[in-house]
Structures are given as C-alpha cells and as structure tokens.
Amino acid sequence: MARNYPPDHDPSRPTGPARRRARLSDQETERRMLDTAVAMVHRDGLTVGLDHLGFEDVIRDAGVSRTTVYRRWPYKDLFFSDLLRELARGAAPASAPALETTGEVLSEVLSSRSEDLASPQGRHDLVTELLRLTAVSDFEAVHGSPEWRTYLALQATFLSLPEGDLRADVQAALARSEQRFVDRVARGWETVATALGYRLRPETGGSFPLIATLACAAMRGLVLMSLSDPDLLTRRVPANPTTASAASDWSLLGMAAASIAVTYLEPDPDVTWDDLA
C-alpha cells in the first residue's frame, strides 16, 4: 500500500523506535553534566553545601546516559567534589561592570557635561560625578547577582571542607578568581583616571590593583551587610567627600569609593588640556 510522505521526508533518516539519541563520549558527558549543574546552581542559588542539588535531576536535565555518568562518578559525592572545583574555577566574587560599561558611563557623563572639561575644577567635578553614579550601579548589580551569592556560599563551603586535595583545589581556584576580578576592576579605575588626566599620588605608594582591592572590599562588606539590612541599598548621605563644586546625595559605597580616590589619585601635572572654551 502506497504511503503519502511530506515533501521534506528523508527515507534514509530513521524514525520511531529506530531513532536513537547520538551517543556522547565520556568527556562530552562529563562536560554536559558539570555545565548543567553549574547552570542549576546559578539559577537556584547555592546553600552551604550542595545537598539541595539532586544528582538524578542533573542527569535528567543534562540529557545524558546514567550508565556513562555512573561510570565516570561511581558515587555522587565524587561528582559534587568535581562540581565544587568547577564552580570555584568560574566563580566571580561579585558582578562588576565590564570596561565597556565603564566607558559608556564615562561617555554619558562627558556628553552631558562636556563644558566642565575646560577647567581643573570642572574635570574634578566630572570625576566626582562618575564615582557617585557608578557606585550606585555597582552596588545594585552585585546585590542582585546570583553569582555573588554562589561565591559567598562557596567561601563558606570551602571553610567547612576537611584538609585535603579538594579543599586545596577550591582554595586555589577561588584565589585565582579573586585576582582576575581585582585585575578587571583595577583596569576600570585606570581607564577612567587616565581619560580624565589623573595619576597615582607618588607619596602614597599606591597602585591601581591596591585601589581595586580596597574598593572591592568596601563593596563586598556593604553588600554582605545589606543582606540583613536592605535599607543600606537605598541609604543616601548629603555630602561633598571630594571637595567638588557642590554637595550631592551619596550612597555609602560612593562615599567609600570617593575616599579611596581622594587618598590615592591627583590631577596629573604632566597632562596638558587643549583650550576648550
């Protein structure tokens, strides 16, 4: 009996029971399992430990063979140890705007107040305004970041691990993650300072990585405090921490960033500005 097939029918392609899922290699199964579990952690959050994460749930969501998974990890504790290593390698201590975002904020401030570039006080006011604005966006981004909560839980989990290879691996991975984050923040500070004609104060012995470390510590401390005191997110202080032309309403993180900037940065006397008047 003749059958009517759709125009795009391919008789060489198996259908029904003959259709089988492509077999994954052990390496592909491992990668898919870890990627799926990391995504689940970022979606649902990480408690101190991974007891809330079901091994069978990861297998199901990853769409991999149980036989292959159990050959790779005969016990689920072995998988969770590898997952901790994976999370630590990819962990970010906190979300922060990329350098592109910092550049966008700088461009926005400059376009709306370009006339301020004509004088030293005007440029100082621009730096002040940039600190004030980016502190608010940074604080809000970190506070709402699931990666931040995962990192916080990873730190607590690391402290509870017994001495051994797993603890050493997680500690080393977290340290590398921390350094990458500080380096990124340092580049942001240096980009903005250079663009507006500022330099490090020679007598302070400071550096942009040091500034970044202090700024990150202040941000992390305030975000941690705000978990139990959410009012810190919206608290504003009328102040003029940089001796700008006028006082403004400052967030607490902005006050901390301004204090760091005043301590370590100054106008670069070797930078000559064109007459913009």
Side-chain angles (χ1 to χ4, degrees):
M1 181 176 178
R3 294 184 179 180
N4 293 322
Y5 292 105
D8 60 349
H9 174 67
D10 181 358
S12 66
R13 182 180 180 185
T15 60
R19 204 172 188 172
R20 293 289 182 268
R21 180 174 57 201
R23 175 171 299 199
L24 300 175
S25 69
D26 289 357
Q27 292 79 10
E28 289 171 327
T29 296
E30 176 179 347
R31 185 71 265 154
R32 187 175 292 189
M33 281 287 291
L34 290 171
D35 286 347
T36 298
V38 168
M40 292 170 72
V41 168
H42 287 331
R43 181 191 69 205
D44 301 328
L46 176 69
T47 59
V48 180
L50 294 164
D51 295 339
H52 68 298
L53 201 65
F55 190 40
E56 293 294 332
D57 292 338
V58 178
I59 295 174
R60 182 198 65 228
D61 287 4
V64 296
S65 163
R66 293 180 77 257
T67 301
T68 305
V69 169
Y70 277 97
R71 183 169 62 243
R72 171 63 180 84
W73 295 288
Y75 306 100
K76 68 178 183 179
D77 287 350
L78 297 176
F79 171 74
F80 288 131
S81 293
D82 282 349
L83 177 57
L84 278 178
R85 292 184 175 95
E86 185 75 9
L87 286 166
R89 281 195 292 268
S95 295
L99 291 179
E100 293 80 8
T101 304
T102 301
E104 290 172 3
V105 175
L106 176 59
S107 297
E108 183 178 341
V109 172
L110 288 176
S111 63
S112 62
R113 300 177 54 171
S114 59
E115 69 280 359
D116 288 344
L117 288 170
S119 68
Q121 183 62 49
R123 292 191 289 273
H124 181 71
D125 290 348
L126 282 176
V127 172
T128 297
E129 184 65 4
L130 192 64
L131 285 168
R132 193 176 71 87
L133 293 177
T134 55
V136 173
S137 59
D138 285 0
F139 197 10
E140 291 175 347
V142 173
H143 185 269
S145 165
E147 290 82 7
W148 155 253
R149 295 176 188 272
T150 296
Y151 184 82
L152 191 64
L154 274 171
Q155 291 282 3
T157 299
F158 155 70
L159 293 174
S160 68
L161 294 174
E163 294 291 340
D165 290 343
L166 177 58
R167 181 186 174 97
D169 290 347
V170 172
Q171 181 180 20
L174 288 174
R176 288 192 295 270
S177 174
E178 187 80 40
Q179 189 58 56
R180 287 195 303 270
F181 180 73
V182 168
D183 289 345
R184 186 175 62 174
V185 174
R187 289 196 299 272
W189 275 79
E190 186 171 9
T191 297
V192 173
T194 302
L196 292 174
Y198 275 69
R199 70 172 187 181
L200 294 165
R201 292 183 183 275
E203 70 275 10
T204 64
S207 65
F208 286 106
L210 175 59
I211 289 175
T213 299
L214 294 174
C216 291
M219 175 168 58
R220 210 165 306 165
L222 283 167
V223 170
L224 185 60
M225 293 170 65
S226 71
L227 295 178
S228 58
D229 185 4
D231 288 344
L232 292 177
L233 273 171
T234 56
R235 185 177 176 185
R236 298 292 181 268
V237 179
N240 191 356
T242 66
T243 63
S245 297
S248 297
D249 287 340
W250 286 76
S251 66
L252 298 185
L253 182 59
M255 292 283 289
S259 299
I260 294 169
V262 168
T263 299
Y264 289 104
L265 298 176
E266 67 178 6
D268 189 340
D270 294 331
V271 171
T272 302
W273 290 82
D274 294 333
D275 185 2
L276 301 176

